[in-house]
C-alpha cells in the first residue's frame, strides 16, 4: 500500500499495450487533465511515465507534494507498464500540476500542466483554458488496451456498473446522495451521442428541450409563470442541476444559497429586506423554516428559482410583499 498524503489516494491503474523497444526515450506526459484545459469534476489525474521506465513518481499540486509513488517493480511494470492513475483533490480554480519521474532516486524527467477546476458553474472560466476532451481517437488509443472504447449498443444498455463500459471510468459520478434516474441505470446514451465527431459522447443538442422530454410537467409549470428566471428562460438547466448526481437535493450543483449568491452577490454583501419596525434584516439562512420545518430555510423559501407571477419570483404565486410575510408569519 502506497503511503500518500491524505489528499491523494490511488484510484486505479491503466495498461498501455504498445511496445517500447530498448533504447527508446519518450517523455513523461500528463494525459489528463492536459495543460491549459478545464474540467468540472475533480476525478482523475492520468500520467504516462514514458521510457526508460521510472522507479517512482512524485506528484505536486499547487506546491503540495506527495511522497514517492513506487512504479518500478517488475510486477507493476508487467501489469501497468508506464501508466499511473490517481484521484487527487484539486482546488477550485487554477491548479498547477507538476510530475517528477525518478530513476535510482534521482530526478529523470518532469512534466507540468496548468489546469482549471471549474467547480462553480455560475463563474466563468478564464479564456486561456479550453475544455478537456477525452473521447478523441488519439486519447482513446491510450485507453483501449484495458477499456472497451468502441462498445456496441447491447453493452451500452447494460444497467449495472459491473457490465456497462461507461462505468469503468465514470461510476464515480454516481457516488452521490441524489442520482439522476437515467444515470443511475447507466442509460448514458439517452443524453450523450455515441456517433458524435470528432469527439464521441457529446451531449445531445437542445439544452432544456432534452430535459423536458422527461420533465414536461415542470416545463408546463414554468410556462405558467409571468416572469421566468434567467437560466430557465435560456434553457440552461445544468447551471444549477447536475445531470448525473449530487449530494444536494434536486441534484443541485451546490447548496441553494451558494448557487443563488454566486450570481446575486449584492444580496449576500448587504442587508436583505428589513423586518417590520425593528430595522433588522431578514436572515438568508439559519432559522427554522416556518412554512416547512422539514426543509432548511434558504433563498428558495421565499423565491421560486424557476420563476413566478411577480418579478421577485415569490413562492406560491405570491406577488405582494406583505402577503409573502404572512406565508410564514
Amino acid at each position: 500500500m502506497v503511503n500518500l498524503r491524505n489528499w491523494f489516494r490511488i484510484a486505479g491503474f491503466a495498461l498501455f499495450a504498445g511496445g517500447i523497444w530498448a533504447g527508446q526515450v519518450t517523455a513523461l506526459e500528463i494525459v489528463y487533465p492536459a495543460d491549459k484545459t478545464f474540467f468540472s469534476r475533480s476525478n482523475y489525474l492520468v500520467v504516462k511515465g514514458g521510457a526508460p521506465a521510472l522507479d517512482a513518481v512524485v506528484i505536486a499540486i499547487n506546491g503540495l507534494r506527495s511522497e514517492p509513488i513506487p512504479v518500478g517493480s517488475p510486477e507493476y511494470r508487467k501489469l501497468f507498464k508506464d501508466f499511473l492513475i490517481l484521484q487527487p483533490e484539486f482546488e477550485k480554480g487554477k491548479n498547477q500540476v507538476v510530475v517528477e519521474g525518478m530513476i535510482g532516486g534521482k530526478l529523470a524527467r518532469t512534466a507540468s500542466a496548468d489546469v482549471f477546476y471549474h467547480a462553480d458553474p455560475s463563474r466563468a472560466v478564464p479564456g486561456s483554458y479550453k475544455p478537456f476532451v477525452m473521447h478523441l481517437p488519439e486519447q482513446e488509443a491510450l485507453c483501449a488496451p484495458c477499456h472497451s472504447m468502441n462498445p456496441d449498443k447491447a453493452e451500452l444498455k447494460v444497467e449495472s456498473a459491473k457490465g456497462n463500459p461507461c462505468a469503468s471510468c465514470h461510476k464515480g459520478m454516481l457516488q452521490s446522495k441524489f442520482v439522476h434516474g437515467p444515470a443511475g441505470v447507466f442509460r448514458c446514451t439517452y443524453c450523450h451521442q455515441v456517433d458524435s465527431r470528432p469527439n464521441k459522447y457529446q451531449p445531445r443538442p437542445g439544452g432544456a428541450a432534452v430535459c423536458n422530454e422527461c420533465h414536461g410537467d415542470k416545463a408546463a409549470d414554468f410556462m405558467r409563470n409571468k416572469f421566468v428566471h434567467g437560466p430557465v428562460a435560456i434553457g440552461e438547466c445544468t447551471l444549477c442541476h447536475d445531470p448525473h448526481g449530487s449530494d444536494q437535493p434536486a441534484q443541485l450543483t451546490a447548496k441553494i444559497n451558494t448557487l443563488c449568491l454566486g450570481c446575486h452577490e449584492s444580496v449576500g454583501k448587504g442587508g436583505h429586506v428589513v423586518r417590520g419596525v425593528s430595522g433588522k434584516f431578514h436572515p438568508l439562512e439559519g432559522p427554522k423554516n416556518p412554512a416547512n420545518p422539514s426543509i432548511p430555510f434558504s433563498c428558495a423559501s421565499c423565491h421560486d428559482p424557476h420563476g413566478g407571477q411577480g418579478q421577485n419570483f415569490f413562492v406560491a404565486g405570491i406577488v405582494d410583499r406583505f402577503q409573502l410575510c404572512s406565508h410564514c408569519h
Side-chain angles (χ1 to χ4, degrees):
M1 185 70 176
V2 179
N3 181 23
L4 301 176
R5 295 179 187 271
N6 58 13
W7 57 282
F8 264 119
R9 69 180 178 84
I10 291 184
F13 304 94
L15 168 64
F16 180 58
I20 298 176
W21 56 87
Q24 181 185 6
V25 177
T26 56
L28 177 65
E29 179 184 359
I30 299 174
V31 177
Y32 175 85
D35 187 40
K36 293 298 181 181
T37 64
F38 72 84
F39 51 97
S40 59
R41 289 182 178 274
S42 178
N43 45 14
Y44 296 118
L45 173 65
V46 182
V47 177
K48 186 176 187 299
L54 300 172
D55 296 330
V57 173
V58 174
I59 309 291
I61 296 181
N62 294 333
L64 183 58
R65 294 167 58 85
S66 73
E67 296 178 0
I69 305 168
V71 295
S73 69
E75 294 80 10
Y76 184 93
R77 293 175 184 173
K78 180 179 179 180
L79 292 173
F80 311 121
K81 293 290 171 45
D82 63 341
F83 268 78
L84 174 66
I85 301 179
L86 304 174
Q87 187 173 2
E89 294 177 9
F90 289 104
E91 295 181 10
K92 295 179 181 179
K94 182 178 179 179
N95 288 264
Q96 186 65 40
V97 182
V98 177
V99 180
E100 298 176 352
M102 316 295 290
I103 298 177
K106 296 182 179 181
L107 180 64
R109 49 190 178 271
T110 65
S112 63
D114 174 13
V115 299
F116 193 91
Y117 176 25
H118 186 216
D120 184 353
S122 69
R123 304 287 184 178
V125 178
S128 57
Y129 298 93
K130 304 300 180 184
F132 181 84
V133 179
M134 182 66 217
H135 288 285
L136 293 170
E138 60 270 24
Q139 299 281 68
E140 290 194 337
L142 300 175
C143 307
C146 288
H147 298 274
S148 175
M149 305 310 296
N150 291 292
D152 58 32
K153 292 182 179 180
E155 290 177 295
L156 290 170
K157 289 182 178 180
V158 174
E159 296 184 351
S160 68
K162 184 177 181 179
N164 190 286
C166 301
S168 61
C169 288
H170 301 296
K171 62 183 177 183
M173 290 183 175
L174 310 183
Q175 294 174 353
S176 307
K177 291 181 180 178
F178 303 94
V179 177
H180 191 205
V185 291
F186 297 98
R187 298 309 296 268
C188 309
T189 56
Y190 190 87
C191 299
H192 293 271
Q193 306 172 82
V194 177
D195 56 355
S196 62
R197 296 293 183 271
N199 55 304
K200 295 187 295 186
Y201 310 118
Q202 294 182 57
R204 288 172 54 199
V210 177
C211 303
N212 292 342
E213 290 177 4
C214 291
H215 301 286
D217 57 332
K218 299 300 295 183
D221 288 342
F222 303 158
M223 291 293 291
R224 284 190 283 268
N225 288 325
K226 291 182 179 179
F227 297 86
V228 180
H229 192 203
V232 178
I234 61 174
E236 290 290 347
C237 306
T238 56
L239 283 177
C240 297
H241 300 276
D242 190 312
H244 300 104
S246 167
D247 288 335
Q248 304 300 322
Q251 295 151 227
L252 293 176
T253 56
K255 292 182 178 180
I256 292 175
N257 283 19
T258 300
L259 277 175
C260 297
L261 298 178
C263 291
H264 303 282
E265 295 182 25
S266 61
V267 175
K269 291 179 179 178
H272 185 60
V273 183
V274 176
R275 293 190 294 175
V277 297
S278 67
K280 295 181 179 180
F281 294 111
H282 199 285
L284 300 178
E285 60 185 350
K288 190 173 183 179
N289 187 350
N292 190 342
S294 65
I295 299 177
F297 185 79
S298 69
C299 300
S301 299
C302 296
H303 302 276
D304 188 317
H306 299 109
Q309 298 306 308
Q311 62 182 357
N312 292 310
F313 309 150
F314 290 149
V315 297
I318 296 171
V319 175
D320 182 77
R321 291 171 182 261
F322 286 103
Q323 185 183 359
L324 179 67
C325 297
S326 63
H327 183 66
C328 288
H329 307 288

